[in-house]
Amino acid sequence: MNGATFLVKALEREGVDVVFGYPGGAIMPFYDALLEAEFRHILVRHEQAAALAADGYARVSGKVGVCIATSGPGATNLVTGLANAMLDSVPVVALTGQVPSVVMGTDAFQEVDVLGITLPIVKHSFLVKDIHDLPAVVHEAFRIAVTGRPGPVLIDLPKDIQNAEMPPNLVPRPDHMPVPAPPADSLQQAAALLAEARRPLVYAGGGVGMAGAVEPFREFLAVTGLPVVTTLKGLGNARPDNDLFLGMLGMHGAKAANYAVQECDLLVVVGARFDDRATGKLAEFAPKAKVIHMDIDAAELGKLRETQVPLRGGLIPSLRALSIPLDIDDWRLHCKAMAVEHAYDYAAPGKGIYAPRLLHRLSQAAGDKTIISCDVGQHQMWVAQHYRFHQPNHHLTSGGLGTMGYGLPAAMGACYAAPDHRVIAVSGDGSFMMNIQELATLKRYNIPVKILLLDNSCLGMVRQWQDLFFAGRKSQVDLSDNPDFTRVAEAFGIPSMQVRRAEEESDTVDALLQTEGPLLVHALIDPTENVWPLVPPGANNAQMMEGART
Amino acid sequence: MSFILQIRLKNIDGVLERVLGTIRYRGHQLLRLMAHPTPDGSSMDVTLKVDAGRGGTHLTRHLQKLFDVEAVECYSEVAHARYG
Ligand SMILES: Cc1ncc(C[n+]2csc(CCOP(=O)(O)OP(=O)(O)O)c2C)c(N)n1
């Protein structure tokens, strides 16, 4: 057996059922061995899409997503996807072909130092120089990707290693490392702070879903009766019918969520990291609050905000230990009243499609087996604001890197991770063009992604900032010469429809929920619509701007 | 203020770059560096002096997260206090 065949078998051993990739010279031995693989290979049309599809697959399945590329340009095309997985802590293993060991370091054809290029954007990486190391490397890579705080791992595979003969001794699958529990005395201190607090609030992030702690988290909320706000990645942590869930906090957060954070006297941070989009001006974030911070990653504790009780370790033991009933009725009533007072209003004057209302309607009709994968921009924020998620892994969004082009490939990955779910990619006309070639992948494999393209003929989010903070001077944001997207879809063999009037919103929802195979819904929306509220840069979260609806 | 870091690393490809990259990215300036392999060649002992930046504890925690880092000790140059 050669290294390439071993690799295929090792992936099977790791439980891989699908990989996303694109072949080329330095990875050809692997692609030859792939012909005998028991798992599927999805041929994307750009390596970036392979990495992003692996990311979407991993977020939905909770398993490691795998992407594959050749050396040189294939490997560099993975870079954005790896950075995306790094910043959002997604377990991905990337396999890259490399030129043969004897010519490495000679600027050989399609040689780049991908290990060096990716050092700061992977959790770990390996360059395999000895065939005997291959079994341990593959296994380590999968273990590292999912252990503790997850992240991407790269394995660079020189072509001669793939061709080298090796004995067929597969390493056994050792268990993943156990997650430590936080120390008992810290838990006691945290419980004491909770019992004392008059206005305690939970600020929860993507860590809850990653730790497989959604049910214990919901149980913790039910027992304590704590009001809760979440980050972009934490949407779906709370039950959608929880009336103490105040929405997303931060730059485009819900008003009730931001006000509650500014008023609270204790912040219970669960798997979140004080990201600047969430905190606004850090020095004025939750100014009256003491902090209990639960996180698996010691480096996050006290990184940006002083923490009275850091709880390093698995979230589940902390959540269980702190599930104590609290006597905070006045604060609960106040939070509920704020949620009602500041609820979104979906009345819009114009005759056109109002994107927030369309997404709200979609949310109401979609049920609990729908996954939404977003691109980046205004539409992404509208999804976060107006769609109620049943689970955090039903919401795929590029939170840390903000990668335009994420939505469609991640949705493809989601379809393979959860074939019994409906997957809708919500995109903007700028973002969609960044991975539009993947329409060919949808067609080839008949991947049933529904695309809702909210087309405002511009780079809406940038245009909004130019209007608000650059005196309306529009610079390079006009996309009014976009192609006819319905015809583009049809050229790829994807059915499509176009909508533009408010009365077509319910047909749009029906089409997205009822169509069997892939579909593109091209929705023309008002180019001047903004995302509200907005915390301007440098302001604290209570200083939200809100403008008129067009 | 500055810190002295004593680090034992697995002696494998890219390991020093990883450590130096982390120090740079986390906002510390490198003031001195000494590195040599252990007698059996499997590890490398590195002594570094860096400026205070955001503090030794944070940098130590980030270095501890690197998989090729076997041990890190951080001393403040003035107080010789030890950080976990
Ligand atoms: C790859 C990449 N390039 C640039 C940006 C900066 N950026 C953020 S939002 C945005 C506009 C997105 O436009 P569109 O996809 O049409 O969405 P809209 O804001 O109009 O809803 C841009 C250019 C980015 N996030 N990602």
Side-chain angles (χ1 to χ4, degrees):
Chain A
M1 168 161 51
N2 68 9
T5 302
F6 170 80
L7 208 52
V8 166
K9 299 218 172 300
L11 294 181
E12 287 166 358
R13 273 286 184 96
E14 296 293 337
V16 169
D17 49 24
V18 62
V19 299
F20 304 88
Y22 206 95
I27 192 82
M28 283 184 73
F30 175 82
Y31 271 84
D32 185 60
L34 193 65
L35 290 168
E36 269 75 53
E38 283 169 16
F39 52 82
R40 293 191 72 175
H41 177 276
I42 304 303
L43 178 70
V44 293
R45 298 303 174 99
H46 188 298
E47 291 87 350
Q48 183 187 110
L52 296 176
D55 171 310
Y57 172 88
R59 290 191 208 219
V60 172
S61 67
K63 291 166 56 178
V64 175
V66 180
C67 57
I68 300 158
T70 189
S71 67
T76 54
N77 275 350
L78 290 180
V79 165
T80 300
L82 292 175
N84 195 75
M86 183 67 177
L87 284 184
D88 278 351
S89 310
V90 183
V92 166
V93 167
L95 306 176
T96 46
Q98 182 54 279
V99 299
S101 308
V102 284
V103 294
M104 280 179 72
T106 66
D107 306 317
F109 177 63
Q110 294 196 327
E111 180 186 9
V112 295
D113 174 17
V114 69
L115 190 103
I117 289 170
T118 57
L119 277 178
I121 52 161
V122 294
K123 189 172 170 191
H124 194 56
S125 42
F126 299 93
L127 166 63
V128 185
K129 285 187 158 170
D130 182 338
I131 185 75
H132 294 99
D133 294 341
L134 194 55
V137 163
V138 176
H139 187 71
E140 257 314 81
F142 276 77
R143 192 183 65 85
I144 290 171
V146 292
T147 303
R149 181 177 183 163
V153 180
L154 176 108
I155 308 179
D156 200 22
L157 295 154
K159 198 170 181 178
D160 51 307
I161 295 287
Q162 299 170 54
N163 283 326
E165 274 307 308
M166 71 176 297
N169 58 332
L170 297 185
V171 277
R173 257 194 91 128
D175 290 334
H176 292 310
M177 289 201 313
V179 180
D185 56 337
S186 303
L187 288 170
Q188 271 169 12
Q189 285 171 28
L193 272 191
L194 250 188
E196 250 166 47
R198 300 321 321 145
R199 297 186 307 282
L201 181 72
V202 174
Y203 150 36
V208 174
M210 280 180 232
V214 175
E215 280 315 312
F217 178 73
R218 290 176 174 189
E219 189 60 21
F220 164 74
L221 293 182
V223 174
T224 56
L226 277 163
V228 54
V229 303
T230 73
T231 64
L232 180 66
K233 280 182 63 198
L235 291 169
N237 286 342
R239 256 183 247 289
D241 58 358
N242 181 340
D243 57 0
L244 285 165
F245 170 53
L246 307 177
M248 180 173 78
L249 83 166
M251 180 174 275
H252 288 297
K255 281 185 162 178
N258 280 339
Y259 287 139
V261 173
Q262 295 309 96
E263 289 175 28
C264 72
D265 65 358
L266 175 67
L267 205 54
V268 183
V269 187
V270 187
R273 61 181 176 98
F274 295 91
D275 172 69
D276 53 274
R277 295 280 132 154
T279 63
K281 186 175 184 184
L282 189 62
E284 291 170 24
F285 178 69
K288 301 168 194 155
K290 293 185 175 162
V291 174
I292 297 172
H293 192 171
M294 310 177 189
D295 209 290
I296 184 80
D297 183 353
E300 288 300 341
L301 301 172
K303 182 178 86 173
L304 293 166
R305 166 81 183 231
E306 192 200 339
T307 299
Q308 278 65 39
V309 187
L311 293 174
R312 201 250 142 158
L315 296 184
I316 295 175
S318 294
L319 291 167
R320 294 223 165 107
L322 298 182
S323 288
I324 40 180
L326 301 173
D327 178 19
I328 48 166
D329 276 348
D330 290 353
W331 169 240
R332 283 187 196 113
L333 284 174
H334 174 65
C335 287
K336 283 184 195 172
M338 281 200 297
V340 172
E341 185 189 344
H342 300 298
Y344 292 111
D345 170 13
Y346 293 105
K351 293 203 165 95
I353 285 180
Y354 179 48
R357 182 176 55 214
L358 173 61
L359 292 165
H360 176 65
R361 286 182 163 187
L362 179 63
S363 168
Q364 287 184 314
D368 63 357
K369 284 209 159 212
T370 301
I371 293 167
I372 305 286
S373 175
C374 292
D375 259 306
V376 171
Q378 293 181 309
H379 59 282
Q380 178 192 26
M381 292 300 115
W382 285 325
V383 168
Q385 293 176 329
H386 306 293
Y387 196 100
R388 276 272 170 133
F389 288 95
H390 289 257
Q391 292 290 335
N393 68 351
H394 288 179
H395 180 215
L396 304 184
T397 198
S398 174
L401 194 65
T403 310
M404 289 173 70
Y406 176 75
L408 177 54
M412 297 183 337
C415 282
Y416 287 99
D420 58 336
H421 282 54
R422 183 188 296 117
V423 181
I424 301 173
V426 178
S427 191
D429 46 316
S431 298
F432 186 48
M433 292 278 267
M434 290 226 177
N435 270 315
I436 197 166
Q437 77 286 344
E438 295 310 315
L439 289 175
T441 315
L442 292 193
K443 174 65 182 167
R444 168 183 286 231
Y445 299 101
N446 195 29
I447 307 174
V449 173
K450 290 357 133 195
I451 302 161
L452 173 58
L453 174 55
L454 295 172
D455 179 357
N456 52 11
S457 298
C458 66
L459 297 172
M461 187 57 99
V462 182
R463 192 272 307 144
Q464 175 171 349
W465 278 56
Q466 289 177 351
D467 274 341
L468 295 176
F469 308 120
F470 291 85
R473 286 155 54 85
K474 312 262 198 305
S475 177
Q476 306 297 322
V477 290
D478 175 55
L479 298 180
S480 56
D481 57 352
N482 272 323
D484 178 338
F485 287 113
T486 53
R487 283 177 56 206
V488 170
E490 269 152 34
F492 278 99
I494 305 291
S496 64
M497 60 189 267
Q498 191 180 69
V499 290
R500 62 175 74 221
R501 289 176 290 120
E503 56 271 27
E504 289 173 303
E505 285 176 15
S506 74
D507 287 351
T508 305
V509 171
D510 290 348
L512 291 169
L513 297 183
Q514 284 160 21
T515 305
E516 286 287 321
L519 172 73
L520 173 83
V521 178
H522 181 211
L524 295 159
I525 62 167
D526 182 349
T528 63
E529 196 58 66
N530 287 333
V531 184
W532 303 119
L534 168 93
V535 178
N540 76 47
N541 277 352
Q543 297 166 326
M544 289 169 271
M545 296 168 66
E546 191 145 35
R549 215 161 269 171
T550 48
Chain B
M1 244 234 296
S2 55
F3 295 99
I4 306 283
L5 293 162
Q6 282 182 349
I7 312 178
R8 173 155 290 196
L9 304 168
K10 280 186 206 145
N11 192 5
I12 55 175
D13 281 315
V15 68
L16 257 186
E17 283 163 85
R18 252 185 247 276
V19 168
L20 296 179
T22 301
I23 290 170
R24 177 184 51 74
Y25 178 63
R26 297 293 165 186
H28 296 264
Q29 196 157 4
L30 185 62
L31 304 173
R32 195 192 309 147
L33 166 69
M34 242 167 53
H36 55 87
T38 53
D40 69 353
S42 66
S43 298
M44 196 187 311
D45 282 328
V46 182
T47 307
L48 291 153
K49 184 171 162 188
V50 297
D51 76 350
R54 292 197 188 107
T57 315
H58 287 132
L59 181 59
T60 304
R61 285 184 183 162
H62 282 292
L63 290 170
Q64 281 167 337
K65 279 169 59 171
L66 299 178
F67 285 86
D68 301 330
V69 169
E70 294 172 340
V72 190
E73 285 186 22
C74 176
Y75 305 93
S76 128
E77 227 200 356
V78 184
H80 285 280
R82 194 181 148 184
Y83 290 83

